[in-house]
Amino acid sequence: MEALSDSIAAIATAWGEAGVAIVRLSGPDAVPLARTTLRFGPNGFPPPREMRLASLLDDAESPIDQVLVVHFAAPRSYTGEDVVEIHTHGGTLVAQLCLEALIRRGARLAEPGEFTRRAFLNGRIDLSQSEGVLGIIRSRSAEALRAAARTLSGELSEFVREVREELLELQGSLEAGLDFPEGEAPFLDEASLRDAAATLKLTLQDLLDRCSLGLLLREGIRVVLSGRPNVGKSSLLNALLKQSRAIVTALPGTTRDVIEEAITYRGVPIRLVDTAGLRTPVDEIEASGIERTRRELKQADICLWLLDCSVPLDGEDLEYLRSLSVREHIVLLNKADKGHAVTEDDIREIVPESSVISLSAKTGEGLELLKEEILAIATGNGSLDAGLNVTARQLGEIRQALNAMAEAEAALLDGMGQDVVAGLLGGARNALERLLGIACDDALLDSVFSRFCVGK
């Protein structure tokens, strides 16, 4: 891990005109640097957690702004170091001049996420909580914000630490039995070991479900609108957005490119992707659009396959319907206001497991039902209140731990040695330790904190 012997500074507020701008300073020289950059009144530099008025000075020692200064003394600060925040008047110039003055006097410009990185390195928060900070910053809905707050408060960390301790204890018992002579530290009873492994696997599966839901709240549900030309994909996009975002004409093949927009429904972002209609292309431009459609379908969380229910199905409709089992999907019978040449029962005879909804993008019939069904499929009908806002990295570590536990359970059922099981338990534990930051290196930290803004 890197040394923390220098002091860093950055503007912590967004760029542009505002009522207040905040310049943040952290490190062993934070207080001396602030003292030489600012002029305080007769009461001097503020004691910890008390805000005082000061003058920001230019190179000629002339005041250029009246600022408020607050000091957070180590270790009771965000970073665990001495932190000074200088609250200037908002604007693009004064905060920048304050930052430049601090840098001239010996501070270093902070890297993205470096304040939070120092909080982690100084033991103020663990790595999962650090990523919870980013979750709060990037939340796009109230539900996502609440899920991120649960992660930042340590709910995820506490859960993961408990599972890690159980893994450590079970692995230790197994390895003790392997290391010591027979009779001194006997092997665990096979039935008890199977029960313990099964319980740990179920616990990790529950955690994975909660975190998958949290990632959904954070990133949104990617929903791709697909189907033949002129079935109403763009009209449906406009109806869901409640605005005219896509061009709608009676001419088939109007949409040639991918259009992406987002709505929020019951606190969950839904990322709607309108695509070119699937058919034999009439020119090179349309062929390119159809290829993009196929790529989007592979990346979709849910595919909406639209049919014009006012006309009978043809061979291409039937061919696509029979391929829908490979992905999460909803079959939409659009243009229901024109009558039904194709019914929901007709579709269920072809694809019995499909969710089928009749709607009209023109009148709005069925739109609320569609949004409810999207949410139900994406969340598995789970409670949004249980979600934990995580990153793809964190979700990957939990999935790796779960896979290791599944392999351990299978090894026990296959009668493999306890040494093999102990190794798999160690693999699960290592994944959870990487999630918490107990086992990490600078490359991992660089990857995590590079996604933060400067000043956080």
Side-chain angles (χ1 to χ4, degrees):
M1 299 293 177
E2 66 267 35
L4 303 176
S5 59
D6 55 353
S7 296
I8 57 173
I11 298 172
T13 44
W15 189 257
E17 292 186 4
V20 176
I22 299 174
V23 180
R24 178 178 284 165
L25 181 63
S26 178
D29 298 323
V31 173
L33 286 167
R35 287 181 183 275
T36 58
T37 307
L38 306 168
R39 179 185 296 156
F40 292 89
N43 292 326
F45 192 82
R49 301 178 183 275
E50 181 178 311
M51 186 169 276
R52 283 190 181 170
L53 186 67
S55 296
L56 174 63
L57 306 177
D58 63 13
D59 290 341
E61 299 294 313
S62 298
I64 56 174
D65 191 19
Q66 293 290 303
V67 301
L68 289 170
V69 182
V70 60
H71 169 220
F72 302 94
R76 297 181 60 194
S77 70
Y78 180 69
T79 63
E81 306 171 322
D82 277 336
V83 172
V84 177
E85 289 186 355
I86 303 170
H87 296 231
T88 73
H89 286 92
T92 57
L93 179 59
V94 65
Q96 185 64 34
L97 290 176
C98 179
L99 177 61
E100 291 172 0
L102 292 169
I103 291 173
R104 282 196 303 272
R105 287 165 172 80
R108 172 175 61 78
L109 182 63
E111 297 176 357
E114 191 169 1
F115 291 94
T116 304
R117 184 172 184 150
R118 290 188 174 211
F120 164 69
L121 293 173
N122 288 321
R124 295 290 291 170
I125 53 178
D126 62 33
L127 196 57
S128 68
Q129 290 173 297
S130 300
E131 290 174 279
V133 172
L134 187 61
I136 285 180
I137 293 171
R138 293 188 174 178
S139 293
R140 291 180 288 179
S141 69
E143 291 290 349
L145 181 59
R146 282 191 284 269
R150 288 192 289 272
T151 302
L152 181 58
S153 70
E155 190 171 332
L156 172 63
S157 302
E158 183 178 355
F159 196 119
V160 171
R161 287 182 191 279
E162 288 177 358
V163 178
R164 173 186 174 269
E165 288 301 319
E166 292 177 22
L167 283 167
L168 188 59
E169 183 177 349
L170 187 58
Q171 183 188 3
S173 298
L174 282 176
E175 292 183 348
L178 296 168
D179 291 341
F180 287 90
E182 187 175 351
E184 293 186 17
F187 285 110
L188 288 175
D189 174 75
E190 289 290 334
S192 299
L193 183 55
R194 282 195 298 270
D195 288 344
T199 299
L200 282 167
K201 191 181 84 167
L202 287 173
T203 301
L204 284 169
Q205 182 62 61
D206 178 59
L207 178 61
L208 181 66
D209 292 342
R210 293 184 65 191
C211 291
S212 297
L213 182 57
L215 187 64
L216 190 74
L217 291 169
R218 177 175 178 152
E219 301 295 335
I221 310 166
R222 191 169 185 83
V223 177
V224 173
L225 285 66
S226 62
R228 303 276 303 284
N230 211 32
V231 294
K233 298 184 295 298
S234 297
S235 296
L236 178 58
L237 175 70
N238 291 340
L240 289 168
L241 293 174
K242 298 181 179 179
Q243 61 175 301
S244 297
R245 173 63 178 86
I247 297 172
V248 178
T249 73
L251 180 67
T254 302
T255 301
R256 298 296 186 94
D257 204 350
V258 170
I259 299 173
E260 181 172 343
E261 292 290 342
I263 61 172
T264 299
Y265 181 67
R266 288 178 52 190
V268 180
I270 300 175
R271 296 159 60 193
L272 300 165
V273 183
D274 186 20
T275 61
L278 294 173
R279 67 174 180 180
T280 302
V282 298
D283 55 40
E284 188 174 337
I285 295 176
E286 187 176 10
S288 176
I290 291 172
E291 179 58 32
R292 291 186 182 186
T293 297
R294 297 191 188 281
R295 287 200 300 268
E296 288 294 335
L297 286 170
K298 292 178 181 179
Q299 299 171 6
D301 295 315
I302 298 174
C303 165
L304 304 183
W305 178 249
L306 275 74
L307 297 170
D308 181 350
C309 70
S310 66
V311 297
L313 298 175
D314 64 14
E316 289 189 19
D317 289 326
L318 292 171
E319 180 182 350
Y320 191 87
L321 284 171
R322 293 188 180 106
S323 72
L324 283 174
S325 59
V326 300
R327 61 175 69 90
E328 294 284 5
H329 66 275
I330 305 171
V331 178
L332 301 180
L333 301 182
N334 192 27
K335 305 186 182 181
D337 55 293
K338 293 184 176 182
H340 282 271
V342 181
T343 68
E344 294 182 18
D345 289 339
D346 293 334
I347 300 301
R348 292 192 180 97
E349 286 184 8
I350 302 167
V351 277
E353 302 301 320
S354 292
S355 174
V356 187
I357 297 175
S358 294
L359 56 77
S360 169
K362 181 178 180 180
T363 66
E365 173 193 344
L367 293 187
E368 288 302 308
L369 180 59
L370 170 60
K371 288 185 281 188
E372 284 291 336
E373 187 65 15
I374 290 171
L375 206 59
I377 291 175
T379 63
N381 289 305
S383 171
L384 296 177
D385 293 335
L388 292 168
N389 193 319
V390 299
T391 64
R393 182 198 78 85
Q394 292 171 311
L395 195 67
E397 298 291 6
I398 296 168
R399 187 173 284 117
Q400 187 167 335
L402 178 60
N403 290 340
M405 284 308 307
E407 290 180 30
E409 189 177 41
L412 286 167
L413 293 173
D414 291 342
M416 301 178 71
Q418 292 192 358
D419 55 336
V420 174
V421 177
L424 291 167
L425 294 176
R429 178 174 56 81
N430 289 339
L432 299 184
E433 289 177 350
R434 287 192 298 272
L435 189 153
L436 293 169
I438 295 173
C440 64
D441 54 23
D442 286 344
L444 174 58
L445 297 185
D446 289 343
S447 173
V448 169
F449 291 107
S450 64
R451 293 171 291 148
F452 283 64
C453 57
V454 174
K456 188 57 189 171

